[in-house]
Amino acid sequence: MRKYLSIIAAALVIASCGGNQHKADDPLADSGRTQRTENLLSNLKVWGDSTVYLFGHQDDTLMGMGWQSEQNDSSATPEHSDIKSICNDSPALVAFDITGIGKNRQQTADGISLDKIRQEVINTYNANGIVSLSLTLQSNDVEPLTAFLNSLETPYGVRVPVLLRLRGKQSKEQWQALAEELKDEDVTNALLVYAPTVDSLTTEAKYLEQYPGDDIIDLLGISYYCDAPEGDTTLVANYAAQLDKQLSMLAAIGKQHGKPIALAETGYNGIKTDNWWTHTLATVLEKHPLSYVLLWRNEGPDNFFVPYPGHMSTSDFVRFYNLPATLFRHDINGPYN
């Protein structure tokens, strides 16, 4: 273990035998959410107030370069991960997109079984990881979404805490209706992340234009990608400059509203420079009080956002992994304690 971060000394005691006769205690906090969910929020604030941040990867255990898990197989299978194949460690945070949950309650718009995602959520929790879920919300999504969140329960009776983020265009009214439905359906394991896609002209007023309120949102973020075809160094530098500016704005808003902040979605498709991780991304992130950064998924040779064995940025990613600021799975201890 290269780094070790102890969060809170309290021990988590789980009954471990006897099948369904023995269930773990899953108490509610004063907020109405589970205590584990509140503990996760507290720990995200701790990370955000320090000089470290969690590293996250979209669909890390579902797909990668040249491989894809059985999308409709909900059984527990050995973890496969491009990240793990490079540094023998997993992302601290793993994310899954459940867009389309209202149209077909069996699978996502990407054709991935919801049962498979449910199992991956539980696997990640059991392996001491953190889970983020996202979706582009449609009018018929709310009921199946709340049912899905309530179904994220381990065999020993613990609802898995998750971060829940809306992608694409989002309105204040959507957030308010969603929060009300989560409350009505007794969803006690979700933290809500407000993270619109922003551009270089964003102001605080524009960022907060559809913000539903501090009583609804738990964490603030932005989504911003590097667009530099053929490794154009000028465009890479522009990304770094604009990201720095936007994260400075976000940090100020987070401080005003008492919320932890995150780079909730980012990446450089194809990673066309060999030192992007340490010379571009890390040099910006180290300046800001982030809870986590999430890189998008690896789908194939024309659409990938983290390196894989043999890619030209692999060595630089290992250097990024070894930075004191980056937290992977082996670096966090008891994120729900």
Side-chain angles (χ1 to χ4, degrees), residues 21-40:
Q21 294 179 356
H22 296 274
K23 294 288 187 178
D25 188 24
D26 197 22
L28 295 180
D30 292 341
S31 65
R33 294 186 293 213
T34 69
Q35 188 61 57
R36 286 176 176 82
T37 305
E38 289 300 326
N39 291 345
L40 175 59

Side-chain angles (χ1 to χ4, degrees), residues 45-197:
K45 290 177 179 177
V46 170
W47 290 311
D49 288 338
S50 64
T51 58
V52 297
Y53 51 88
L54 304 170
F55 179 84
H57 184 213
Q58 184 77 23
D59 290 335
D60 183 73
T61 57
L62 288 181
M63 61 185 72
M65 187 57 64
W67 64 270
Q68 193 161 2
S69 68
E70 292 296 328
Q71 294 183 354
N72 297 313
D73 181 7
S74 62
S75 61
T77 56
E79 182 178 284
H80 196 175
S81 158
D82 283 352
I83 296 293
K84 196 170 186 178
S85 66
I86 290 173
C87 54
N88 197 32
D89 199 354
S90 298
L93 184 148
V94 178
F96 305 100
D97 189 77
I98 54 174
T99 296
I101 192 170
K103 184 176 181 180
N104 184 332
R105 301 189 184 195
Q106 303 302 316
Q107 62 184 29
T108 71
D110 293 321
I112 300 173
S113 163
L114 289 170
D115 286 340
K116 175 66 175 177
I117 292 178
R118 181 184 297 106
Q119 185 61 58
E120 292 298 326
V121 168
I122 294 171
N123 290 347
T124 300
Y125 172 81
N126 285 337
N128 204 42
I130 297 166
V131 174
S132 175
L133 298 175
S134 63
L135 77 161
T136 302
L137 190 65
Q138 305 296 326
S139 58
N140 61 340
D141 287 338
V142 176
E143 181 184 343
L145 172 60
T146 58
F148 182 75
L149 293 171
N150 281 333
S151 76
L152 300 176
E153 185 174 299
T154 68
Y156 46 89
V158 172
R159 284 194 186 180
V160 177
V162 296
L163 303 171
L164 180 63
R165 177 172 64 93
L166 300 187
R167 300 186 71 216
K169 292 183 178 180
Q170 50 197 269
S171 69
K172 184 182 301 185
E173 292 73 24
Q174 276 183 313
W175 275 113
Q176 292 167 341
L178 175 59
E180 189 65 28
E181 191 69 17
L182 294 177
K183 182 178 179 180
D184 289 346
E185 295 302 318
D186 295 322
V187 175
T188 59
N189 56 327
L191 300 173
L192 301 186
V193 182
Y194 176 81
T197 301

